[in-house]
Amino acid sequence: MSSVVKLASQGSSSSSNNNNNSSHEEGNERRELLRQTDPVAGKDLSLPAETFLRAAIDLKDQVVEVTWTRRNDGVTDPTVYSGLLGTALTCLRSYEATGSRPDLLLCAEIVDTCATVARTSLRHVTFLCGRGGIYAVGAVVANYCGDHQKRDLYLDLFHEMAQERALPVGPEEGGLGMSYDLLYGRAGFLWASLFINKHVGHDTVPGHLLMPVVEAVLAGGRAGTSDSTACPLMYRWHGTRYWGAAHGLAGILQVLLHFPLSPEDAEDVKGTLRYMMSNRFPHSGNYPSSEGSLRDNLVEWSHGAGGITITHCKASQVFPSDRELRNAAIEGGEVVWKSGLVKKVGLADGASGNAYAFLSLYRLTGESIYEERAKAFASFLYHNARELIMVTGASGADHAYSLFKGHAGAACLWFDLLAPSKSRFPGYEI
């Protein structure tokens, strides 16, 4: 597995001996080990919160400068994932962390520009890569600003988009044209709806619109499985049965876990997670990027244990009596830790995204070791993010400063470290 440096992980086995994992004695041992471990060539890991706050604000300002202030051409990418809306979401995260009114107003201005571009350029309805994200963020920001007229305008646009006929059509009705994944498919639309309902108000996007889409996603997963596997749900994106958060099972299940599920539906979701757990790579404990893949080289949010661990954390919260799911979340975190620091910066495939796996585990378990591990990754980024961007060569200034591919992801991580118990992976955790 490619990494910049391996973090020491003595005593942190990914075996199923989780009673030891959660014991006070081993927790102390891990904390002491982390204090002795330096992934950044002798630099101090224990950066104070004030350092992360200053770094987050400075980096947010750089992101705004490069992607917004200095723009002398038109906006070509108005999405959260790799485009200008990611800058808006970073400003929103800054507002949530600091109460900065100028950041909120700047976010609103950027969203309005993205909305203008999206009318002719975006066909997808998802949060990360489509109009769903623009309308959802627009409604939420307008609500924070107290601009109810603009909030209602964005909600009307979202509800109009929600009427797209392909969304609630199941496979038995020929509904295989729209994908199911988080980036481009129905799960991404549902996530945008969850975002609105959390920040604007429960049932702002009503259940009668959402539950038929949930049912269509479940039906598509059942239709996509085969007699050759014991997996209750399976999906294809461009012909490949992906497992990860971006295009596959982890991202789709993450969304489904936020909705009321019948006993049968819940068993299919849990059965799918157990199928994934039983097919981990035996040596590393990592997950294949897709069904049948033998390549054990990706440990990140998009593909591998980074994103799947966050989904297991959510599943453990939804099904708190299922110890197997909790154990899988903890073991996934060990995989991310032992794999070390990946050579990229952003949320999708970099150290920022993997740090959020530890923050999810911290919220799940309350164990401070996971907060410390997130801070270790964040400290590495504090000292090395600029050099990593240069080494990995993110394509163009926009991508280098984007939310999922570049610097903006690190800024959001640093903001979230101010209150780890309230942290959420942008565009993935509600």
Side-chain angles (χ1 to χ4, degrees):
M1 301 175 192
S2 61
S3 61
V4 172
V5 61
K6 295 285 184 176
L7 297 182
S9 53
Q10 177 182 346
S12 297
S13 168
S14 60
S15 69
S16 58
N17 187 13
N18 293 289
N19 290 331
N20 289 336
N21 282 343
S22 59
S23 73
H24 179 72
E25 179 179 352
E26 185 167 341
N28 287 337
E29 180 181 329
R30 287 183 184 172
R31 282 185 280 277
E32 182 60 29
L33 177 62
L34 185 59
R35 293 186 188 100
Q36 298 169 3
T37 303
D38 184 358
V40 288
K43 297 181 177 70
D44 184 13
L45 289 184
S46 55
L47 295 176
E50 294 78 8
T51 300
F52 283 127
L53 174 59
R54 287 195 304 271
I57 292 172
D58 289 346
L59 188 51
K60 177 264 301 176
D61 289 342
Q62 291 177 38
V63 169
V64 170
E65 178 73 16
V66 171
T67 64
W68 175 249
T69 307
R70 295 203 318 240
R71 293 197 72 94
N72 53 18
D73 56 353
V75 177
T76 57
D77 185 350
T79 70
V80 168
Y81 188 81
S82 57
L84 185 58
L85 194 63
T87 299
L89 207 59
T90 306
C91 291
L92 180 60
R93 188 58 56 96
S94 176
Y95 166 74
E96 291 171 334
T98 69
S100 169
R101 182 78 177 180
D103 281 334
L104 180 65
L105 297 177
L106 177 58
C107 177
E109 184 180 355
I110 294 173
V111 172
D112 288 345
T113 298
C114 291
T116 300
V117 175
R119 290 171 189 164
T120 57
S121 66
L122 289 183
R123 65 182 180 86
H124 298 296
V125 297
T126 62
F127 185 86
L128 294 178
C129 294
R131 288 171 287 140
I134 296 169
Y135 302 153
V137 176
V140 168
V141 172
N143 196 55
Y144 282 151
C145 290
D147 187 343
H148 294 170
Q149 183 177 2
K150 183 171 285 187
R151 177 201 65 191
D152 292 344
L153 170 64
Y154 277 118
L155 288 177
D156 287 344
L157 289 169
F158 191 90
H159 282 99
E160 180 182 330
M161 184 189 70
Q163 304 298 325
E164 187 160 334
R165 292 182 180 180
L167 279 166
V169 177
E172 68 281 355
E173 304 165 279
L176 298 174
M178 179 179 282
S179 66
Y180 296 92
D181 65 309
L182 188 71
L183 258 61
Y184 299 114
R186 302 178 214 213
F189 162 78
L190 290 171
W191 201 95
S193 304
L194 291 168
F195 183 80
I196 290 174
N197 285 348
K198 176 185 178 180
H199 293 282
V200 178
H202 174 68
D203 218 36
T204 301
V205 185
H208 72 80
L209 283 179
L210 300 182
M211 290 312 297
V213 184
V214 172
E215 291 164 6
V217 172
L218 288 162
R222 292 178 181 125
T225 194
S226 66
D227 295 336
S228 61
T229 71
C231 190
L233 304 172
M234 188 62 71
Y235 303 87
R236 283 179 171 81
W237 189 76
H238 286 203
T240 301
R241 293 174 289 182
Y242 287 104
W243 282 28
H247 294 301
L249 288 171
I252 296 167
L253 297 178
Q254 173 80 4
V255 172
L256 290 176
L257 286 162
H258 287 81
F259 289 93
L261 300 173
S262 70
E264 178 187 3
D265 296 338
E267 283 305 311
D268 280 350
V269 168
K270 288 192 287 186
T272 302
L273 290 167
R274 292 194 186 100
Y275 174 82
M276 297 169 72
M277 290 151 51
S278 67
N279 285 277
R280 289 174 283 188
F281 292 113
H283 176 69
S284 68
N286 190 30
Y287 293 81
S289 60
S290 61
E291 182 76 7
S293 175
L294 301 178
R295 295 180 61 192
D296 183 8
N297 64 329
L298 298 174
V299 182
E300 54 195 51
W301 175 81
S302 295
H303 306 287
I308 293 173
T309 295
I310 295 174
T311 298
H312 279 306
C313 286
K314 178 61 182 177
S316 185
Q317 293 165 352
V318 174
F319 307 112
S321 63
D322 194 321
R323 189 71 186 182
E324 189 178 3
L325 293 174
R326 183 183 177 90
N327 290 348
I330 292 170
E331 290 165 4
E334 297 303 311
V335 173
V336 176
W337 178 250
K338 293 199 299 179
S339 296
L341 291 149
V342 293
K343 294 179 181 177
K344 296 183 180 180
V345 173
L347 296 176
D349 50 9
S352 297
N354 279 1
Y356 274 100
F358 302 132
L359 291 175
S360 293
L361 283 163
Y362 172 68
R363 297 197 315 273
L364 175 67
T365 68
E367 289 285 336
S368 62
I369 184 63
Y370 297 116
E371 180 185 0
E372 293 171 15
R373 287 179 173 183
K375 287 182 177 178
F377 275 37
S379 299
F380 172 80
L381 289 167
Y382 174 81
H383 292 292
N384 295 275
R386 187 174 300 279
E387 290 76 9
L388 287 177
I389 284 287
M390 294 174 63
V391 169
T392 56
S395 56
D398 286 353
H399 278 189
Y401 284 84
S402 70
L403 185 57
F404 272 72
K405 290 294 188 179
H407 283 305
C412 286
L413 172 65
W414 295 340
F415 279 125
D416 270 336
L417 285 174
L418 302 177
S421 63
K422 298 179 181 178
S423 63
R424 296 293 184 274
F425 190 115
Y428 198 58
E429 294 179 293
I430 293 293

